[in-house]
């Protein structure tokens, strides 16, 4: 008899800040899954694998001066069918994956992306399948929420040298004072 594999999730939703790195940012959430087991001691030698399947992807959400096609409202990326891993690539470029030994959740964020993705997490074992065999755990939904980060303001000068005549201290643009 193959018993169902078991695990616990530390939190069903995590929030991270968007990344501004061109290559994305690789994040690791330590000990995200715990109490990972194939079942009773007769199942202890079975190989375990986490399966993360996209369930819902919302976004992109826009910010700043750029309006996206969704006009700054959450855009459901796939309203009529189940999302695929490709649907989440605009938000999460790589992963997510859960390590069976450490319980660490890891993924790479896409640069400048804001939104959230829901994944169904199950744990599979390598034991026999069929009647009275349970090689797949109960599913748990996990939400990865990517929120806007507060960025330092920036600007560019059109000239590297700016001079103002003493009598023109209140002038807004060059040429208004003589």
């Amino acid at each position: 008899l193959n018993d169902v594999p078991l695990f616990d999730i530390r939190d069903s939703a995590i929030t991270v800040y968007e990344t501004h790195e061109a290559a994305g940012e690789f994040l690791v959430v330590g000990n995200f899954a715990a109490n990972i087991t194939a079942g009773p001691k007769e199942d202890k030698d079975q190989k375990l694998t986490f399966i993360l399947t996209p369930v819902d992807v919302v976004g992109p959400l826009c910010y700043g001066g750029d309006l996206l096609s969704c006009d700054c409202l959450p855009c459901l990326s796939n309203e009529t069918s189940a999302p695929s891993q490709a649907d989440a690539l605009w938000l999460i470029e790589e992963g997510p994956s859960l390590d069976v030994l450490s319980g660490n959740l890891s993924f790479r964020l896409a640069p400048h992306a804001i939104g959230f993705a829901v994944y169904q997490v199950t744990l599979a074992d390598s034991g026999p399948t069929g009647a009275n065999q349970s090689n797949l755990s109960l599913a748990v939904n996990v939400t990865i929420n990517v929120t806007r980060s507060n960025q330092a303001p920036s600007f560019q000068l059109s000239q590297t040298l700016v001079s103002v005549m003493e009598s023109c201290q209140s002038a807004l643009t060059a040429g208004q004072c003589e």
Side-chain angles (χ1 to χ4, degrees):
L1 178 66
N2 184 19
D3 292 299
V4 65
L6 302 170
F7 69 100
D8 294 321
I9 293 292
R10 182 174 63 171
D11 196 353
S12 62
I14 61 168
T15 299
V16 296
Y17 290 106
E18 69 177 312
T19 183
H20 302 287
E21 296 179 22
E25 182 177 2
F26 191 76
L27 298 175
V28 176
V29 180
N31 301 313
F32 189 75
N35 303 319
I36 303 164
T37 177
K41 59 183 169 185
E42 63 268 10
D43 292 342
K44 70 176 171 50
D45 294 330
Q46 294 176 358
K47 181 180 180 211
L48 297 173
T49 306
F50 276 111
I51 303 165
L52 285 84
T53 307
V55 175
D56 193 13
V57 182
V58 175
L61 306 178
C62 59
Y63 64 97
D66 298 328
L67 299 180
L68 301 180
S69 61
C70 60
D71 200 25
C72 287
L73 299 173
C75 300
L76 296 178
S77 64
N78 216 335
E79 295 178 16
T80 57
S81 61
S84 70
Q85 188 67 35
D87 292 330
L89 287 178
W90 64 267
L91 181 65
I92 299 173
E93 287 185 337
E94 178 185 327
S97 63
L98 255 171
D99 183 77
V100 173
L101 298 177
S102 67
N104 292 348
L105 174 69
S106 58
F107 53 94
R108 181 176 304 281
L109 290 178
H112 308 291
I114 298 173
F116 67 86
V118 180
Y119 290 87
Q120 183 180 68
V121 180
T122 52
L123 181 62
D125 67 33
S126 60
T129 60
N132 299 322
Q133 305 295 331
S134 299
N135 70 331
L136 198 60
S137 71
L138 294 176
V140 176
N141 283 347
V142 171
T143 302
I144 299 174
N145 180 33
V146 182
T147 189
R148 179 175 49 202
S149 63
N150 189 11
Q151 302 170 40
S154 65
F155 64 94
Q156 285 187 322
L157 294 174
S158 60
Q159 300 175 1
T160 57
L161 178 62
V162 177
S163 61
V164 178
M165 293 175 53
E166 185 177 335
S167 62
C168 293
Q169 291 178 5
S170 64
L172 297 176
T173 61
Q176 287 184 335
C177 216
E178 297 186 26

